[in-house]
């Protein structure tokens, strides 16, 4: 008799479990029907982008709900060679890698790593997240050059190998873009913009021209002056009789930056760098690596332009000797 009671209990438990499963299935079907009749609003791409904008503004400390401003920088850099053949772009709707040798934005420290490593974006993708006409974003922008690479938090071996640092042409173009934006922002906001020292202005815009006459620039080291007047000169000339000198800024700056209306163009930086990178590839590739269209485009560049682009494609390295001597308290 006790065994029968035990079997009876098992049957009751089995029936209870079956009833509970049926109840859950019925509830699931009702929920499914309810969602079909009243679906949840779709999380659109636009909403995802807006959330990413908010996260970035929180990260750099400019949102009303964020804490004090952080020392986060937006580095414009050259993507180095890697075993992954490029890095992923953090923009929420982008599924393309950032190719080696392409220009990118590195947000450092980043938002998505517990160790604070950089977040990478295509320049064009990052321009969809920030408005560089606003000083709270613009002031975080920093090109990675021989003078700023220490801020990037890189290993010494990476710096010595020339990784991440911009080539000469990209450096000059990014700095000119920043100077143009800063001038228009000051004009828009009614802030007085101090003119450049004439000798410095000549060095920045006329070096390389047959008519350029070197002048001392106060506060500038000899090594920096030699770079700006030689390898980084924006002008390429065939001599005094050359009335069509090649000008880096006229060839590649995407806009004239003549009025504050130009601040509304969101992709002027990426367009400038994209045009420069294309020219670099054309100037450096042998004919057998180019398509017929590429060969024709390279031919149209002309010998003088190719010579200038190749010169500006090199990466100006830090002056390691001067840095070492400074660490010893010795003048370079």
């Amino acid at each position: 008799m006790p065994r029968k009671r035990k079997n009876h209990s098992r049957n009751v438990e089995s029936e209870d479990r079956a009833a509970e499963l049926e109840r859950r299935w019925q509830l699931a079907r009702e929920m499914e029907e309810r969602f079909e009749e009243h679906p949840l609003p779709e999380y659109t791409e636009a909403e995802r982008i807006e959330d990413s904008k908010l996260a970035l503004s929180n990260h750099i400390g400019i949102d009303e709900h964020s804490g004090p401003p952080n020392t986060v920088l937006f580095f414009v850099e050259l993507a180095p060679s890697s075993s992954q053949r490029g890095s992923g772009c953090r923009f929420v709707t982008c599924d393309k890698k950032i190719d080696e040798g392409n220009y990118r934005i590195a947000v450092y420290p980043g938002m998505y790593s517990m160790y604070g490593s950089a977040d990478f974006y295509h320049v064009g993708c990052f321009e969809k997240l920030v408005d560089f006409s606003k000083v709270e974003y613009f002031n975080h922008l920093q090109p990675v050059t021989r003078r700023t690479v220490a801020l990037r938090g890189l290993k010494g071996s990476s710096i010595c190998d020339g990784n991440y640092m911009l080539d000469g042409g990209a450096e000059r173009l990014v700095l000119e873009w920043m100077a143009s934006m800063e001038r228009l922002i000051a004009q828009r906001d009614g802030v007085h913009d101090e003119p450049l020292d004439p000798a410095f202005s000549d060095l920045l815009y006329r070096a390389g021209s047959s008519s350029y006459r070197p002048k001392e620039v106060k506060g500038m080291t000899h090594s920096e002056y030699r770079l700006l007047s030689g390898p980084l000169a924006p002008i390429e000339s065939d001599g005094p009789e050359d009335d069509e000198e090649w000008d880096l800024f006229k060839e590649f700056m995407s806009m004239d930056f003549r009025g504050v209306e130009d601040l509304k163009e969101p992709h002027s930086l990426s367009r400038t760098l994209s045009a420069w990178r294309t020219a670099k590839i054309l100037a450096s590739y042998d004919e057998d690596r180019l398509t017929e269209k590429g060969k024709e485009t390279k031919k149209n560049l002309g010998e003088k332009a190719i010579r200038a682009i190749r010169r500006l494609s090199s990466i100006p390295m830090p002056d390691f000797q001067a840095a070492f001597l400074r660490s010893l308290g010795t003048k370079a």
Side-chain angles (χ1 to χ4, degrees), residues 213-236:
R213 298 294 177 265
K215 298 176 184 177
E216 180 184 357
V217 179
K218 293 181 180 179
M220 181 174 289
T221 64
H222 292 300
S223 59
E224 187 69 12
Y225 185 88
R226 286 195 299 270
L227 269 176
L228 290 173
S229 60
L232 297 184
I235 307 296
E236 186 74 19

Side-chain angles (χ1 to χ4, degrees), residues 45-328:
E45 287 190 359
E47 289 172 331
R48 294 173 66 194
I49 293 171
E50 286 302 314
D51 285 349
S52 295
K53 289 180 179 180
L54 179 60
L56 184 62
S57 64
N58 281 331
H59 184 55
I60 64 176
I62 64 172
D63 184 74
E64 60 180 349
H65 301 298
S66 59
N70 297 320
T71 54
V72 178
L73 292 175
F74 307 150
F75 288 101
V76 188
E77 64 185 26
L78 195 64
S81 300
S82 69
S83 58
Q84 288 79 29
R85 295 295 179 184
S87 56
C89 177
R90 280 291 186 178
F91 189 65
V92 289
T93 62
C94 181
D95 57 2
K96 296 180 180 178
K97 281 195 170 186
I98 305 169
D99 296 332
E100 300 172 1
N102 206 344
Y103 302 106
R104 70 185 184 188
I105 298 290
V107 177
Y108 178 78
M111 294 186 289
Y112 300 102
S113 170
M114 63 182 296
Y115 302 107
S117 55
D119 301 328
F120 303 120
Y121 298 83
H122 293 98
V123 179
C125 288
F126 196 71
E127 287 170 325
K128 298 175 184 177
L129 287 180
V130 302
D131 181 355
F132 281 126
S133 71
K134 296 180 178 179
V135 292
E136 55 264 37
Y137 290 110
F138 179 81
N139 288 341
H140 286 262
L141 194 65
Q142 187 72 255
V144 178
T145 70
R146 64 203 172 281
R147 304 179 69 180
T148 64
V149 67
L151 301 174
R152 178 62 176 80
L154 300 170
K155 294 180 180 179
S157 57
S158 294
I159 298 175
C160 292
D161 291 340
N163 288 328
Y164 302 91
M165 287 186 287
L166 297 178
D167 55 81
E171 174 187 328
R172 293 302 311 269
L173 288 168
V174 172
L175 290 174
E176 178 61 18
W177 180 88
M178 292 179 68
S180 300
M181 289 288 289
E182 193 169 18
R183 174 173 50 80
L184 292 185
I185 290 171
Q187 182 181 333
R188 179 199 62 194
D189 297 344
V191 178
H192 178 64
D193 189 28
E194 288 289 340
L196 291 175
D197 173 75
F200 187 39
S201 179
D202 277 356
L203 175 63
L204 290 181
Y205 298 107
R206 298 186 59 229
S209 171
S210 61
S211 63
Y212 174 65
R213 298 294 177 265
K215 298 176 184 177
E216 180 184 357
V217 179
K218 293 181 180 179
M220 181 174 289
T221 64
H222 292 300
S223 59
E224 187 69 12
Y225 185 88
R226 286 195 299 270
L227 269 176
L228 290 173
S229 60
L232 297 184
I235 307 296
E236 186 74 19
S237 176
D238 285 331
E241 297 181 1
D242 187 352
D243 56 0
E244 293 184 354
E245 294 179 327
W246 183 90
D247 188 319
L248 173 71
F249 303 132
K250 289 181 180 179
E251 293 292 333
F252 294 103
M253 291 300 290
S254 61
M255 296 189 303
D256 294 331
F257 293 95
R258 292 181 178 176
V260 294
E261 287 296 312
D262 287 340
L263 290 172
K264 297 179 181 179
E265 168 51 53
H267 295 292
S268 55
L269 178 59
S270 59
R271 284 166 46 203
T272 295
L273 288 174
S274 178
W276 168 248
R277 182 172 184 251
T278 299
K280 271 203 323 176
I281 292 172
L282 289 173
S284 63
Y285 277 17
D286 293 330
E287 295 287 320
D288 57 359
R289 297 184 64 187
L290 296 174
T291 63
E292 291 303 317
K293 183 179 180 181
K295 292 176 183 178
E296 185 66 24
T297 305
K298 181 175 182 176
K299 182 179 179 181
N300 292 336
L301 284 176
E303 181 182 340
K304 181 165 47 182
I306 291 174
R307 188 171 71 234
I309 293 167
R310 287 176 175 172
R311 167 173 60 82
L312 286 160
S313 294
S314 62
I315 297 175
M317 296 295 290
D319 190 340
F320 296 111
Q321 182 179 11
F324 176 70
L325 291 174
R326 282 196 299 271
S327 70
L328 299 177

